Amino acid sequence: MTHGLRQQLLASTLLLGAATFAAPALAQTSSDAPAAEASEEAIVVTGSRIARPDLDSVVPVAVVGAAELQRDAAVNVQDVLQELPQVGVGQSRTNTNFLTSGNGVATVNLRNLGSSRTLVLVNGRRYVAGLAGTSAVDLNNIPTDFIERVEVVTGGASAVYGSEAIAGVVNFIMKDKFDGIQARAQYGITEKGDSAKYMAAITAGTSFGADDRGSFIGHFSYDKDEGLLSRKRSISAEDCFYDICGPGAYSSFSPQGRFELLDAGYTKIVDGKPTWVPPQAQKGFQGGSLFSFDPDNNLIAGGGAGYNRNAVRRISTPLERYLAAGMFNYELTDSVKAFAEVTYSKVKSSSQIEPLALQTNDIYSGDGQDGRLVGISIDNPFVPQAVRDAVAAYNAGALADANPDTNPITQLGFRRRQNEVFDRSNNNSRDTWRVAAGLKGTVAQDWNWEASYVYGRLRDFTLSEDIDNNRYRNALDAIRLADGSIVCRSAAAQAEGCVPINIFGFGTASPEASAYVQAVVPKSEEIINEQQVFSLGLSNSHLFALPAGDVGIAVGAEYRKEKSIDDLDILTNTGGNSGNMIPDTFGKFDVWEVYGEVNVPVLRDTFVNYLGLTGAARYSDYSQPQVGGVFSWNAGVELEPFKGLRFRGVYAQANRAPNISEFASAPSETFAGVNDPCDGVTAASNGTYDAACRAIPQVAAAIAANGAFEYTLADLQGINGFVGGNPDLKEETAKTLTIGAVITPQQVRGLSLTVDYFDIKVEDAIDTVGRNLSIQQCLLTGLDTFCGNVLRDANTGFVKTVNDQLINVADMRTKGIDVGLRYSRPLGLFGDDRLDLSGNYSYLISFKTQANPIAPVRDFADTVYYPEHKATVRAAYLKDELTFSWQVNYLSGGTADIDLIDDVDAAPLNHVGGRFYHDAQIRYDIGEKKNYSFYLGVDNVFDTKPPFLPGTPFNLSPTGTETAADVYDPFGRRFYAGVQVRF
């Protein structure tokens, strides 16, 4: 690389030391360059608002430049950022198929502390969130070809940028000046001929006005990712249970249905069972067991065939994007410039999920004591005659039996896949607008100022199908008329068009009945996020002079207003469809902030080359009264004992205010099963919780009267709870420490090495306790943290309600070491050729979490989602018009799931070996200004396979993938080709 080009990149804050490095995001630090080669133009680096005449930064800054994006042939910028060792797993195309409104969303998750603790900026300003009520930005809205570079700061940056910056900041710097037209087209496909990706983009810009005082640059891009079906890969073609894949692991919710016998009290018949012999099975049928149908709809005893859900699931969701952006700048005077940024994105995605698994409890409620049905009536004309005859014989015996526990069979319970009715797939459409406009300039020579306004709006609309519970009950309650026709029993239901539904067998539900039981108003969710930010900032790099240099300062004020609406359809609101009741969410807040930052040089060219101090502080006043005023600050030191070696360190106290989803979402009802440890306790039992149970007066009274405290099935099924937000949440706090060194030896030009230690501790993290844990720990500790969630009946002592609101209850702490190495030098083997080497490596010392004050501290380091070692290295060879690059990404092995360490059956699968992924690209540029570029590439050159991690027992596996598809490559070897033209 020439010296002039190197200087240009430095002045553009690519921060890559003495070369442009070929690996994505491999510029680990902003201070890799020798001071003698740094540009004297003052620049602003992410992590500070003070412009400095050199490229030193007190915090590590990783950078992805435009060249790196090209060498990765990036279509979606998330794919590039995901290779950074500092970046954990966010939402992506490979782990959101089972989400509703969020399928296909792409977020960035620094240090694995969560996307809500990572602040995303565009040109140093906030971007509207891509998920309801959160601060998480959807990276699908960022046009890759319009990016000049990406700067990533890790560690607590709340003092400089505000809330959400606990884990760090990702700042997308977009192109703002371009003359001419540039177009790019690219196509990629896997070795197996699937998961195709298309992309086309055009960028055009020009200068205008007297003396070219104005400039405009516009961009439009279109890309489409066709996604990947689970059945297209052998690892995920079938449902798996541990190491068993195939029919033995299929879902018991089969398309032909499975049925059980019930008495009027919704109790399975287990005593005095009827016996009948279906012709095909020739085996006894026992009440309380299941009967089903074979593929030819012959009645059989037992469960029958299951259902392979992976046959219709997806590994990755398809995505289609239209993105447009424009940048406008105009110099109003020599000292005042107007600017405007406009971006629009249209993102379409869809999930594909198997048809609904419906069972009796989803349709019917109650215990049968009030006369209401709790299952399908035994006189339903669709019930097979063999079953009706056996039940009639059994009931005749039950009536003659003197045993009061022998109850007649009146109804049938069922579980059945709703293949004819609807699946749970959905289609999603997101429209995102963002406008940033303002004025900036200089005053009194040394003062730089900027006043800006940002408005962002997301509309996210998801459309899917569902059933109407009331209509489904009507359709199941059928009778046969004298003329032999079958109709719905209810005259009112008949009047609204009720069509009886036959669920006894495969394909038996008619199209008319299937249409009737569907919700008249489609299942839908509309999300509106709005953001407004007013900012005013002043900075001066030469406030006054000290013997060691000029003191720099930055001060400013911001006002931010956020609003989010999550509007669901009426049946979802009322619990009238296949799910529990979920209310709408509406929330808003605003915050006033003031901040200040200072850079003080202490010593220069004395017994040390340089010693300086930095500091920043921010005060934020939130409209949420439980948060109110919060204060963040940081302090740093830089020491350069001699040229070529620099030490740096920063300590920060950061914060994150609860987002709208956390403090404003209305609790939604759940009847998910919980277990009361007091169930079955007697006067003599000595279990962990038994003494605490007997201390409850109602429990003690029940034991005295009945010998034991026992729930009925109806009691257990009646326990509800409300899970959701909490208006009393306060802010999370974090303490972060970063200490490191930058080595740029004068003897080895083009070499830079950075080593940084990080320690981030998050306190009062927002999380839930867990409903079962609340019951257990309330008994053992009596703490309100747990007992406040549990409501027992004042008369019986039975648990009636267990809530699980979000609270400030958890702690997290992560520690590790980052290393960045890069080296560039001319080879002289074939004239003017050059080799660029670059690499980033992270060693995770620990990642500890504590779910609540009495929970054990768990260390997730050296597990699949928290690899102990993560590295990415690239070598690029450049010779005239030719560039060849080879990148290697490494993930260390480790434990798949620490919760399964003692599971003997899971042990053979619970240790995962390390993985190497190799990517190669060859690029040929024609013309002095690279007017024509052609490139070919192969990702995952050696077709490295992902580890087998079945969804059962490894709940970490995204459903339908049977591996950690968001960590490892589930696609296999991929090829792509592209062309870029500039004129």
Side-chain angles (χ1 to χ4, degrees):
M1 176 181 290
T2 66
H3 178 76
L5 180 56
R6 185 186 305 125
Q7 290 285 23
Q8 179 184 0
L9 293 175
L10 287 169
S12 301
T13 68
L14 291 181
L15 318 178
L16 299 179
T20 300
F21 298 101
L26 293 181
Q28 174 67 28
T29 173
S30 62
S31 55
D32 301 342
E37 296 185 358
S39 169
E40 291 303 314
E41 178 187 355
I43 59 173
V44 176
V45 177
T46 302
S48 173
R49 296 180 185 268
I50 302 173
R52 300 178 61 168
D54 55 33
L55 293 179
D56 292 344
S57 172
V58 74
V59 293
V61 181
V63 177
V64 182
E68 288 72 53
L69 294 174
Q70 288 181 348
R71 290 173 186 171
D72 235 25
V75 174
N76 192 310
V77 70
Q78 185 197 44
D79 298 336
V80 181
L81 294 181
Q82 203 65 39
E83 295 171 347
L84 264 175
Q86 299 93 328
V87 176
V89 175
Q91 289 186 210
S92 68
R93 300 184 302 282
T94 56
N95 64 11
T96 56
N97 183 54
F98 267 70
L99 296 183
T100 304
S101 63
N103 66 75
V105 165
T107 63
V108 60
N109 173 14
L110 290 179
R111 299 294 188 205
N112 259 322
L113 290 172
S115 300
S116 62
R117 300 181 183 94
T118 298
L119 179 61
V120 174
L121 307 173
V122 172
N123 289 334
R125 305 176 190 95
R126 286 179 176 263
Y127 203 97
V128 66
L131 294 168
T134 74
S135 61
V137 173
D138 184 1
L139 302 187
N140 288 314
N141 297 323
I142 309 296
T144 305
D145 272 30
F146 206 48
I147 297 172
E148 181 68 27
R149 64 187 180 277
V150 188
E151 298 175 352
V152 180
V153 175
T154 52
S158 290
V160 178
Y161 296 105
S163 185
E164 294 96 38
I166 282 179
V169 176
V170 178
N171 188 11
F172 292 91
I173 310 298
M174 314 303 284
K175 292 178 170 60
D176 67 353
K177 193 171 181 65
F178 185 87
D179 289 318
I181 299 174
Q182 176 177 290
R184 180 164 80 103
Q186 181 175 309
Y187 173 76
I189 197 166
T190 72
E191 183 181 56
K192 296 182 181 296
D194 51 28
S195 192
K197 296 180 181 180
Y198 315 81
M199 185 266 190
I202 185 168
T203 303
T206 186
S207 299
F208 61 89
D211 300 323
D212 289 338
R213 300 179 73 93
S215 66
F216 173 78
I217 176 173
H219 173 83
F220 176 79
S221 64
Y222 169 81
D223 66 87
K224 184 177 182 180
D225 182 339
E226 293 187 348
L228 183 65
L229 291 165
S230 297
R231 65 174 180 265
K232 295 293 186 177
R233 294 295 179 269
S234 59
I235 193 174
S236 55
E238 294 186 294
D239 279 359
C240 297
F241 180 85
Y242 287 83
D243 58 348
I244 300 173
C245 297
Y250 287 176
S251 168
S252 62
F253 286 83
S254 61
Q256 58 266 42
R258 302 175 69 173
F259 305 87
E260 60 191 6
L261 306 178
L262 306 174
D263 67 15
Y266 191 31
T267 302
K268 297 178 184 179
I269 302 300
V270 293
D271 295 317
K273 306 167 182 73
T275 301
W276 60 285
V277 182
Q280 287 75 25
Q282 295 298 311
K283 62 184 290 188
F285 170 78
Q286 295 183 325
S289 298
L290 302 173
F291 68 88
S292 186
F293 300 83
D294 67 15
D296 296 322
N297 279 348
N298 296 309
L299 190 65
I300 60 173
Y307 181 75
N308 179 24
R309 297 165 297 178
N310 280 4
V312 294
R313 289 171 171 172
R314 280 187 173 132
I315 293 176
S316 71
T317 59
L319 200 72
E320 187 176 22
R321 301 190 300 169
Y322 303 82
L323 298 103
M327 299 287 176
F328 169 84
N329 290 280
Y330 192 83
E331 295 181 12
L332 300 175
T333 70
D334 290 341
S335 58
V336 179
K337 177 187 288 187
F339 65 88
E341 307 168 4
V342 180
T343 57
Y344 169 74
S345 69
K346 176 77 170 184
V347 180
K348 297 180 180 180
S349 60
S350 63
S351 70
Q352 183 164 313
I353 310 173
E354 66 274 7
L356 175 69
L358 193 70
Q359 61 182 332
T360 316
N361 295 359
D362 298 324
I363 298 297
Y364 299 100
S365 60
D367 58 7
Q369 302 305 311
D370 57 3
R372 289 183 296 168
L373 287 173
V374 294
I376 303 171
S377 174
I378 198 65
D379 66 2
N380 184 299
F382 294 121
V383 175
Q385 188 60 46
V387 176
R388 296 164 63 87
D389 292 344
V391 168
Y394 168 79
N395 285 346
L399 293 175
D401 196 329
N403 186 349
D405 292 329
T406 305
N407 301 314
I409 298 169
T410 61
Q411 293 157 80
L412 298 175
F414 73 92
R415 57 173 57 193
R416 187 182 189 272
R417 191 72 55 180
Q418 300 296 298
N419 288 54
E420 307 98 312
V421 181
F422 82 100
D423 60 32
R424 293 175 291 161
S425 305
N426 61 71
N427 294 302
N428 187 283
S429 178
R430 305 182 188 94
D431 295 272
T432 306
W433 283 96
R434 179 180 181 269
V435 177
L439 300 171
K440 58 184 175 181
T442 59
V443 63
Q445 293 185 334
D446 292 329
W447 286 96
N448 296 314
W449 62 273
E450 179 179 300
S452 66
Y453 169 71
V454 177
Y455 174 77
R457 185 179 191 272
L458 162 76
R459 179 183 182 268
D460 181 340
F461 185 75
T462 304
L463 185 66
S464 54
E465 296 176 335
D466 209 332
I467 61 169
D468 183 322
N469 283 353
N470 186 57
R471 283 175 164 247
Y472 210 107
R473 285 192 295 271
N474 289 339
L476 286 176
D477 190 14
I479 58 174
R480 189 186 298 274
L481 299 180
D483 62 1
S485 62
I486 300 174
V487 299
C488 299
R489 188 188 304 269
S490 167
Q494 291 181 38
E496 71 172 8
C498 181
V499 179
I501 190 167
N502 179 8
I503 63 172
F504 295 92
F506 182 80
T508 53
S510 69
E512 295 79 11
S514 298
Y516 168 74
V517 300
Q518 289 186 13
V520 176
V521 177
K523 186 173 184 178
S524 65
E525 182 174 9
E526 183 179 33
I527 296 167
I528 302 292
N529 287 346
E530 285 188 347
Q531 179 187 74
Q532 298 184 71
V533 185
F534 297 86
S535 301
L536 176 63
L538 292 168
S539 66
N540 190 333
S541 301
H542 312 286
L543 183 63
F544 58 86
L546 292 176
D550 294 336
V551 172
I553 189 173
V555 295
E558 291 183 350
Y559 171 75
R560 178 163 53 98
K561 185 176 182 179
E562 305 266 4
K563 181 173 72 172
S564 181
I565 301 170
D566 191 354
D567 184 15
L568 301 155
D569 65 278
I570 187 62
L571 283 179
T572 301
N573 288 156
T574 59
N577 54 22
S578 61
N580 291 322
M581 178 180 66
I582 304 176
D584 294 335
T585 295
F586 172 81
K588 61 181 180 179
F589 72 90
D590 57 26
V591 54
W592 292 90
E593 301 183 278
V594 292
Y595 63 85
E597 185 182 354
V598 65
N599 173 38
V600 181
V602 178
L603 297 173
R604 188 184 296 274
D605 297 329
T606 57
F607 58 90
V608 296
N609 198 55
Y610 178 77
L611 174 65
L613 302 176
T614 64
R618 176 180 289 257
Y619 178 79
S620 307
D621 186 11
Y622 286 86
S623 59
Q624 304 107 294
Q626 74 279 10
V627 178
V630 296
F631 183 70
S632 303
W633 62 273
N634 68 43
V637 61
E638 302 171 82
L639 171 63
E640 188 176 87
F642 51 84
K643 287 186 177 181
L645 176 63
R646 186 170 64 88
F647 299 101
R648 60 190 177 189
V650 175
Y651 176 81
Q653 291 201 6
N655 68 78
R656 183 184 78 88
N659 60 41
I660 292 172
S661 179
E662 291 166 337
F663 75 76
S665 61
S668 57
E669 188 175 17
T670 179
F671 285 89
V674 294
N675 298 309
D676 182 1
C678 297
D679 189 13
V681 171
T682 67
S685 59
N686 59 358
T688 303
Y689 307 95
D690 292 8
C693 292
R694 287 189 289 265
I696 301 173
Q698 296 88 342
V699 175
I703 293 173
N706 306 312
F709 179 75
E710 293 182 315
Y711 286 79
T712 66
L713 178 62
D715 292 328
L716 292 172
Q717 292 173 338
I719 300 174
N720 72 342
F722 292 87
V723 180
N726 182 355
D728 295 325
L729 289 171
K730 62 180 183 179
E731 73 278 5
E732 298 178 343
T733 60
K735 299 175 182 178
T736 71
L737 175 66
T738 304
I739 301 174
V742 181
I743 305 169
T744 54
Q746 301 295 299
Q747 299 83 356
V748 187
R749 294 181 60 83
L751 173 68
S752 67
L753 173 69
T754 64
V755 181
D756 290 283
Y757 167 82
F758 64 87
D759 185 340
I760 304 175
K761 182 179 182 180
V762 182
E763 298 176 324
D764 296 325
I766 297 170
D767 204 348
T768 58
V769 172
R771 297 173 71 220
N772 275 316
L773 186 63
S774 286
I775 303 174
Q776 297 163 3
Q777 293 304 318
C778 178
L779 291 168
L780 294 181
T781 69
L783 294 174
D784 188 60
T785 298
F786 308 105
C787 295
N789 292 333
V790 182
L791 176 64
R792 290 182 180 269
D793 189 282
N795 297 316
T796 65
F798 291 145
V799 172
K800 302 298 293 182
T801 298
V802 188
N803 298 320
D804 202 16
Q805 284 187 313
L806 292 167
I807 56 176
N808 296 93
V809 69
D811 291 332
M812 295 183 288
R813 188 171 189 177
T814 180
K815 295 187 289 185
I817 297 173
D818 292 331
V819 178
L821 174 67
R822 52 211 41 103
Y823 180 57
S824 180
R825 60 163 294 169
L827 293 177
L829 298 177
F830 302 99
D832 187 20
D833 57 350
R834 189 180 79 247
L835 178 68
D836 291 345
L837 297 175
S838 51
N840 266 5
Y841 162 74
S842 282
Y843 168 56
L844 184 62
I845 298 172
S846 63
F847 192 101
K848 296 180 179 180
T849 66
Q850 187 176 24
N852 58 72
I854 56 87
V857 175
R858 311 173 74 200
D859 190 350
F860 288 92
D862 197 25
T863 61
V864 163
Y865 281 93
Y866 306 84
E868 185 176 23
H869 305 282
K870 186 176 180 181
T872 180
V873 178
R874 173 170 286 176
Y877 175 78
L878 293 83
K879 166 60 177 170
D880 300 326
E881 296 87 0
L882 179 69
T883 300
F884 177 75
S885 66
W886 188 283
Q887 178 175 311
V888 180
N889 297 318
Y890 173 70
L891 295 171
S892 64
T895 302
D897 192 336
I898 61 175
D899 292 327
L900 298 174
I901 289 179
D902 296 326
D903 188 324
V904 176
D905 294 326
L909 305 174
N910 205 16
H911 180 78
V912 176
R915 292 294 193 279
F916 286 94
Y917 293 100
H918 298 258
D919 303 331
Q921 185 194 88
I922 186 168
R923 184 183 187 93
Y924 192 78
D925 300 312
I926 302 175
E928 183 178 349
K929 295 184 178 181
K930 300 181 179 180
N931 302 86
Y932 302 93
S933 299
F934 304 90
Y935 56 92
L936 298 169
V938 183
D939 290 338
N940 196 354
V941 174
F942 299 111
D943 197 23
T944 300
K945 304 297 184 183
F948 177 56
L949 298 171
T952 302
F954 298 107
N955 291 325
L956 54 84
S957 168
T959 304
T961 69
E962 310 303 338
T963 186
D966 44 3
V967 175
Y968 304 101
D969 178 7
F971 302 97
R973 186 182 293 114
R974 302 181 299 285
F975 304 93
Y976 62 85
V979 59
Q980 180 174 291
V981 179
R982 179 171 180 173
F983 50 90

